[in-house]
Amino acid sequence: MKGVRHYPGFLAMAVACLVILYAPLIVVTIYSFNGSTSITSWGGFSWRWYADVFTGPEAPRFKAAAWNSITIAVIAATSATAIAVAASLAMIRGGRFKGKSATFALINLPLMVPEIVIAVATLIFFSAIGLTTGYLTILIAHITFCIPFAYLPIAARLQGIEDAYEQAARDLYATRWQAFRLILMPLMMPGIISGFLLAFIISLDDFIITNFVKGAGMETLPTAIFGSVKQGIKPNIMAISTMMLAVSILFVTLSYYVNRIGQRTRS
Amino acid sequence: MSTAIDIRSVVKRYGTATALHGVSLSIADNEFFTLLGPSGCGKTTLLRCIAGFEDVTEGEIALFGQNIAGLDPNHRPVNTVFQQYALFPHMTVLDNVAFGLKMKGVPLSDRTARAGKMLEMVHLSAFADRLPAQLSGGQQQRVALARALAPEPKVLLLDEPLSALDLKLRQAMRVELKTLQEQTGITFIFVTHDQEEALTMSDRIAVMSQGRVQQIGTARDIYEAPVNRFVADFIGETNLIEVTVDRIEGETARVTLPGGHAITCPAAATTPGKHHLSIRPERLSLATTGDLTATVERVVYLGTDLQLLTRLPTGEEFHIRLQNSARTEIPAPGTTVALHLEEGAARLLAD
Amino acid sequence: MAGITPTPQGNGSGYRGIVGPLLIPTWAVIGIFLVLPVLLMAVYSFLTKEFRGGVVWDFTLAAYDQFFLNRGLFGDEPPVIEWTYITIFSRSIWQAAVATLICLIVGFPTAWFIATRPPQTRAIWLFLVTIPYWVNLLIRTVSLKFLIRENGPLNESLMSIGLITDPLPLVNTNLAVQLGLFYSYLPFMVLPIYAAVERYNFALSEAAADLYASRWVTLREIVLPVVKPGIIAGCILVFVPSLGAFLAPDLLGGAKTFMIGSLIDEQFRGSQGNWPFGAAAAMILMTLVLIVLTIYARAQARGEAK
């Protein structure tokens, strides 16, 4: 007799779930190594489309887009993480204060408002204040919507750290700043890294908002890929996709290990 | 002897709730002073007010004559041993112990030497380079002690430091703590809900309940001469029975026990009428004629002792402890026994 | 228990006095770059459109009028209800609902299965389900399109094993859009249900079995009511982004599967655009989402009060 945890067919469903999630990614990865120019027939294993991404006719465009994407993601994730660390100290360690629940709602607002609405509102705002859309407007928008993504793991981590550590430090003659820098920040680090990585990926991932506020001639990787895909899926796009896939998997693995280490130091 | 800590009418309120209702007490230099009480009695709040983790709402706290209210914890020459130790998990044992010295600006070589000496004192020199997570509970507790003592505080605060240890270790640590206090000559303020801990280590004990100090005194004072029902009931096992005070003559009161027999006992500050009498179960003996009679309901064998669960004619439960020896005659359940009260066994309570 | 336990945070951590300075960056950034823009968007939805994109500062209800009412080609006929945009919104709600349902049907058994694995295997399964969430949505959608297109690998392999003789026309259908939404947001369904099942006390199932309930009756009568908060959270997390989705309908759908996201997007593209109308459509979408979230928050609060 099988236990109450077992339901027939649930294993099949779980496997189906993974197949559905991974089949498209695996297929694209395989086809990115297709030696043929046609996307329908298999022409043997080849790196040619990876070479094409870096040296082909579209290479300068992709390089510029990748540069924009990465620099924006780094700056946006760093800023959002710094803002989120300060906010989490106030929200978790600040006790009760007036406007706390309103602040909580504010932090989570970017998660609740649909992306397309944020995109429209941001475009209207920049146009109203007369700021030309471009790198700066993308950056501002990214910092804004990255805040809750950075905040969530940082606040969760901080919540798990007893305030006795800081009190012990203060008791042992540390100033507020020393107690933060020497004790609390190292303990929060796994949360801070997770928050940064999450914000980084979310920024790198964004298409809709970026597409609204990027202005003419400015591209990030997603908008560049979207532009190419409009004319049909080409093999070089599959090569770029596969590389981005690898970066994502690298990041999630990294964040997973950071969390594991974090859990170990806590107990 | 000079006064280390002087607490004057301290009130602590959280919103509308009051945790401390005007607590006043003073603790002498070199004293091992214990705050004893059940959870929620305000003992930890008082400790945190002394450490500077909480601001007092009213009143003041003076440390060697200087009012320290409003000083941040890092400006108070007072260190704390935390309940769960709060050892910094990302620092080695040595770095933990040296932390306070580092914050005070002691140069690296000096502080390493001092921290090393502290570790020697708690017998943990071999563990200097380990992380706290690699130590046992008892070892962590000793690191916490060494860390709090390293900066040579004027007063050491200990917040239930033994509660996370198992019984054997707890008993060993009691002795070690007391020795450490005598060696260093530092004033210890120890918070606990465990009366045995309090009785064995303290020079003086303050029993607290509901945000108020109920009684301050030596272990003996508190056990033998509780001032009220709370203290009598909280410290040790006791029988509380209702009696009538007939009259008071100076220091002694004439009291009628249930069953009609009259005795005299110290008066405390009471008036004639109904009052409670505390009688410790081990201060009684079986006799042929006695001060009280009771019906035995059950005999519980406790090894060194025998416990008799009896009932007085008034219907009140009454416990008796007899030492277990070959000569002890064990009364059978159902029999009526006469009880003799030892000299000073009965204590009249103020409320 | 008499007396009061001190609040866990005293002034020992020392952040009480500087809550304001710590929160200024958050208030400033989200306030100026999100709250203010949304308010401005509300104002724009009442302005007059300018032909080359942008607005003229004349207040009018024209955008909402255009959305809901049809006054004929020259605007002089008696108004009747305009169905074009209401249809697009209804279709979006329908598509999002179907995608949510598919996610639930696949996601619940998956979440249950993962939560009932031994800890080691569980971590691996969770890891596998989370990875796609971290992968660029655009890339995932493009990959799906590549897989299911007319002469793509899916149709090729189905034909080669003889299951079908002609390629299935999947792309540009409602089904493709639903599949795209399902594929985009499936992890959002699995994770909250997993969290709920992990907390589920399996002794309840054992008690039900002991009292003669079959496996499936136990699922319906005991498990589902207990893990309902997780299921509702999962449904919200899939439904809300699906409603305003842009990529899946745009890349996988066609004219017949036009959804809110594309409608709004169009209003801000070049000279064809109509900013006040786009702002109005965005306002209506946001209102819809806020209604869903409010109902959810109410239900959540009621559940906690119980």
Side-chain angles (χ1 to χ4, degrees):
Chain A
M1 142 102 207
K2 291 189 169 167
V4 292
R5 289 170 170 78
H6 176 80
Y7 278 87
F10 278 24
L11 166 65
M13 215 48 136
V15 172
C17 181
L18 285 194
V19 169
I20 293 164
L21 286 175
Y22 284 91
L25 301 177
I26 292 170
V27 165
V28 162
T29 304
I30 293 171
Y31 274 82
S32 73
F33 294 104
N34 187 357
S36 156
T37 340
S38 151
I39 56 164
T40 43
S41 60
W42 180 253
F45 181 89
S46 147
W47 288 99
R48 64 181 283 196
W49 299 114
Y50 289 88
D52 183 80
V53 169
F54 292 101
T55 57
E58 286 188 290
R61 191 167 146 252
F62 285 135
K63 274 184 193 158
W67 175 249
N68 289 336
S69 265
I70 291 166
T71 54
I72 287 170
V74 168
I75 302 171
T78 309
S79 317
T81 305
I83 293 170
V85 167
S88 69
L89 288 175
M91 296 298 283
I92 310 290
R93 289 290 201 258
R96 248 176 271 161
F97 57 89
K98 216 173 150 194
K100 187 169 183 171
S101 48
T103 307
F104 187 72
L106 196 71
I107 293 171
N108 285 298
L109 199 62
L111 297 178
M112 294 195 288
V113 179
E115 254 191 296
I116 187 94
V117 175
I118 298 182
V120 167
T122 315
L123 173 65
I124 287 176
F125 175 73
F126 288 137
S127 130
I129 62 167
L131 193 59
T132 316
T133 48
Y135 191 91
L136 182 66
T137 53
I138 301 176
L139 188 60
I140 291 172
H142 279 222
I143 293 173
T144 310
F145 70 71
C146 278
I147 290 175
F149 290 97
Y151 177 81
L152 290 175
I154 294 172
R157 174 79 189 174
L158 183 55
Q159 200 127 44
I161 301 170
E162 284 175 76
D163 64 352
Y165 295 121
E166 296 140 78
Q167 288 177 3
R170 297 278 277 151
D171 187 56
L172 295 164
Y173 315 105
T175 61
R176 183 160 62 200
W177 171 244
Q178 284 172 320
F180 174 72
R181 194 169 50 85
L182 298 174
I183 305 300
L184 193 56
M185 201 167 83
L187 293 177
M188 284 172 75
M189 213 27 105
I192 295 175
I193 294 172
S194 278
F196 176 86
L197 291 178
L198 194 54
F200 184 87
I201 283 286
I202 293 294
S203 165
L204 208 60
D205 197 41
D206 181 73
F207 169 74
I208 299 177
I209 297 170
T210 311
N211 198 32
F212 264 76
V213 299
K214 72 184 175 65
M218 186 72 198
E219 299 279 11
T220 63
L221 265 183
T223 63
I225 292 172
F226 185 78
S228 293
V229 169
K230 276 287 167 189
Q231 287 113 47
I233 305 169
K234 283 172 288 178
N236 59 346
I237 293 299
M238 290 192 264
I240 292 185
S241 298
T242 306
M243 286 188 279
M244 286 184 78
L245 184 67
V247 169
S248 296
I249 291 174
L250 183 76
F251 267 72
V252 67
T253 314
L254 221 62
S255 135
Y256 178 78
Y257 275 103
V258 166
N259 264 324
R260 280 257 304 255
I261 293 163
Q263 270 159 17
R264 220 174 302 145
T265 55
R266 199 188 298 182
S267 53
Chain B
M1 210 183 275
S2 64
T3 304
I5 294 256
D6 200 10
I7 293 163
R8 292 178 217 125
S9 321
V10 163
V11 174
K12 173 69 190 174
R13 274 191 283 269
Y14 296 101
T16 54
T18 307
L20 295 173
H21 296 267
V23 169
S24 293
L25 50 89
S26 59
I27 299 165
D29 198 7
N30 291 348
E31 196 172 13
F32 195 122
F33 192 89
T34 297
L35 298 170
L36 173 67
S39 65
C41 72
K43 57 188 192 299
T44 296
T45 306
L46 184 58
L47 195 80
R48 292 167 63 84
C49 287
I50 300 171
F53 304 140
E54 308 275 353
D55 293 321
V56 299
T57 316
E58 285 166 29
E60 52 181 53
I61 297 175
L63 183 74
F64 291 96
Q66 187 207 351
N67 185 2
I68 54 171
L71 276 185
D72 273 348
N74 54 325
H75 293 125
R76 300 185 183 200
V78 164
N79 292 144
T80 308
V81 177
F82 289 81
Q83 190 168 5
Q84 305 292 334
Y85 319 137
L87 296 179
F88 306 131
H90 58 300
M91 292 182 184
T92 63
V93 165
L94 189 74
D95 287 343
N96 260 283
V97 175
F99 187 85
L101 299 166
K102 183 177 171 190
M103 292 301 108
K104 287 182 99 174
V106 176
L108 180 66
S109 59
D110 290 6
R111 65 177 190 249
T112 310
R114 231 193 108 55
K117 252 173 77 186
M118 295 311 296
L119 283 177
E120 214 169 285
M121 193 175 75
V122 296
H123 318 296
L124 282 175
S125 304
F127 299 89
D129 296 327
R130 301 246 185 127
L131 288 175
Q134 297 167 308
L135 302 184
S136 71
Q139 291 167 335
Q140 290 185 14
Q141 140 80 183
R142 300 214 296 274
V143 175
L145 259 174
R147 184 179 72 176
L149 286 170
E152 296 180 314
K154 290 186 170 158
V155 174
L156 186 73
L157 309 175
L158 302 105
D159 185 8
E160 306 235 9
L162 306 182
S163 63
L165 303 179
D166 62 41
L167 182 66
K168 269 228 164 108
L169 215 49
R170 208 150 64 211
Q171 286 168 342
M173 279 307 295
R174 280 180 203 160
V175 180
E176 204 165 324
L177 269 181
K178 184 72 188 165
T179 318
L180 216 54
Q181 193 257 333
E182 281 159 3
Q183 266 176 20
T184 56
I186 291 173
T187 308
F188 275 33
I189 303 180
F190 188 89
V191 159
T192 184
H193 65 272
D194 182 333
Q195 42 149 322
E196 209 181 307
E197 246 167 57
L199 296 178
T200 49
M201 290 188 290
S202 323
D203 295 323
R204 282 194 308 150
I205 298 168
V207 183
M208 292 186 68
S209 165
Q210 306 202 331
R212 291 190 171 86
V213 173
Q214 304 292 330
Q215 186 172 1
I216 300 178
T218 62
R220 198 175 189 90
D221 287 343
I222 281 172
Y223 187 81
E224 311 255 331
V227 294
N228 59 27
R229 275 162 70 188
F230 176 80
V231 177
D233 203 26
F234 187 71
I235 312 288
E237 200 187 348
T238 199
N239 292 294
L240 287 174
I241 56 176
E242 216 178 60
V243 294
T244 312
V245 176
D246 302 325
R247 58 175 191 276
I248 295 169
E249 290 162 352
E251 296 284 288
T252 55
R254 185 96 190 140
V255 174
T256 307
L257 295 176
H261 197 92
I263 58 164
T264 55
C265 57
T270 44
T271 49
K274 294 271 180 207
H275 281 288
H276 278 92
L277 197 66
S278 158
I279 303 171
R280 297 286 182 196
E282 74 279 9
R283 309 293 292 271
L284 292 152
S285 54
L286 299 181
T288 39
T289 58
D291 307 296
L292 279 168
T293 56
T295 311
V296 178
E297 292 193 332
R298 189 181 287 272
V299 180
V300 183
Y301 182 78
L302 295 173
T304 57
D305 287 342
L306 286 173
Q307 189 182 31
L308 302 189
L309 308 180
T310 70
R311 205 169 281 279
L312 298 180
T314 52
E316 286 173 287
E317 267 183 44
F318 201 80
H319 293 189
I320 304 159
R321 251 175 207 258
L322 300 176
Q323 228 172 50
N324 185 11
S325 76
R327 282 173 293 138
T328 311
E329 221 175 283
I330 304 166
T335 54
T336 301
V337 292
L339 302 171
H340 171 70
L341 271 66
E342 283 174 23
E343 186 64 37
R347 174 85 197 173
L348 196 58
L349 303 175
D351 60 349
Chain C
M1 199 175 76
I4 313 104
T5 329
T7 48
Q9 268 97 40
N11 69 352
S13 6
Y15 296 108
R16 289 204 164 182
I18 53 166
V19 162
L22 285 173
L23 284 176
I24 283 174
T26 310
W27 288 332
V29 171
I30 299 184
I32 296 174
F33 299 115
L34 185 57
V35 178
L36 204 59
V38 168
L39 295 177
L40 200 62
M41 180 181 81
V43 173
Y44 264 50
S45 72
F46 295 103
L47 296 182
T48 307
K49 89 166 197 180
E50 208 192 351
F51 282 97
R52 311 188 56 104
V55 287
V56 180
W57 280 80
D58 282 328
F59 284 95
T60 164
L61 282 172
Y64 293 96
D65 192 281
Q66 184 191 344
F67 191 95
F68 290 109
L69 297 174
N70 184 346
R71 295 173 191 270
L73 195 54
F74 301 103
D76 51 3
E77 291 166 33
V80 290
I81 291 177
E82 166 66 66
W83 288 105
T84 316
Y85 306 114
I86 297 176
T87 308
I88 291 173
F89 267 65
S90 318
R91 183 192 296 137
S92 297
I93 294 173
W94 169 250
Q95 299 279 57
V98 172
T100 307
L101 189 69
I102 311 175
C103 278
L104 182 60
I105 292 170
V106 176
F108 181 83
T110 305
W112 178 277
F113 179 80
I114 296 173
T116 54
R117 290 312 92 198
Q120 279 300 319
T121 345
R122 196 187 304 177
I124 295 168
W125 273 94
L126 262 187
F127 187 62
L128 287 175
V129 170
T130 354
I131 286 181
Y133 167 73
W134 291 70
V135 175
N136 195 308
L137 183 59
L138 174 62
I139 286 176
R140 283 196 286 149
T141 313
V142 169
S143 302
L144 185 65
K145 183 175 187 177
F146 178 76
L147 180 67
I148 64 171
R149 73 194 199 288
E150 196 162 347
N151 41 12
L154 181 69
N155 275 321
E156 300 264 310
S157 43
L158 286 179
M159 284 196 294
S160 71
I161 58 170
L163 223 60
I164 49 172
T165 48
D166 295 310
L168 298 169
L170 283 169
V171 172
N172 297 343
T173 63
N174 276 337
L175 183 66
V177 175
Q178 288 155 5
L179 198 65
L181 293 174
F182 155 70
Y183 177 58
S184 302
Y185 304 117
L186 180 58
F188 289 171
M189 181 65 85
V190 176
L191 295 176
I193 298 182
Y194 162 81
V197 175
E198 204 199 14
R199 283 195 305 272
Y200 176 71
N201 176 6
F202 287 96
L204 296 180
S205 288
E206 285 167 359
D210 186 53
L211 297 165
Y212 318 108
S214 75
R215 215 173 276 288
W216 298 102
V217 170
T218 305
L219 184 69
R220 197 183 65 222
E221 299 289 325
I222 312 295
V223 174
L224 290 181
V226 173
V227 301
K228 203 169 85 184
I231 294 175
I232 295 175
C235 289
I236 297 275
L237 286 177
V238 173
F239 183 78
V240 167
S242 295
L243 201 55
F246 172 74
L247 283 174
D250 193 79
L251 288 172
L252 299 166
K256 277 193 207 144
T257 61
F258 206 66
M259 281 175 63
I260 307 175
S262 310
L263 173 69
I264 296 174
D265 182 72
E266 232 176 32
Q267 307 312 316
F268 296 89
R269 297 271 151 255
S271 53
Q272 298 299 310
N274 180 343
W275 284 35
F277 183 70
M283 286 298 291
I284 295 166
L285 170 63
M286 196 172 69
T287 311
L288 271 177
V289 168
L290 286 182
I291 289 171
V292 173
L293 289 178
T294 311
I295 293 171
Y296 171 63
R298 287 264 170 84
Q300 197 80 326
R302 222 179 305 129
E304 271 163 29
K306 252 193 286 186

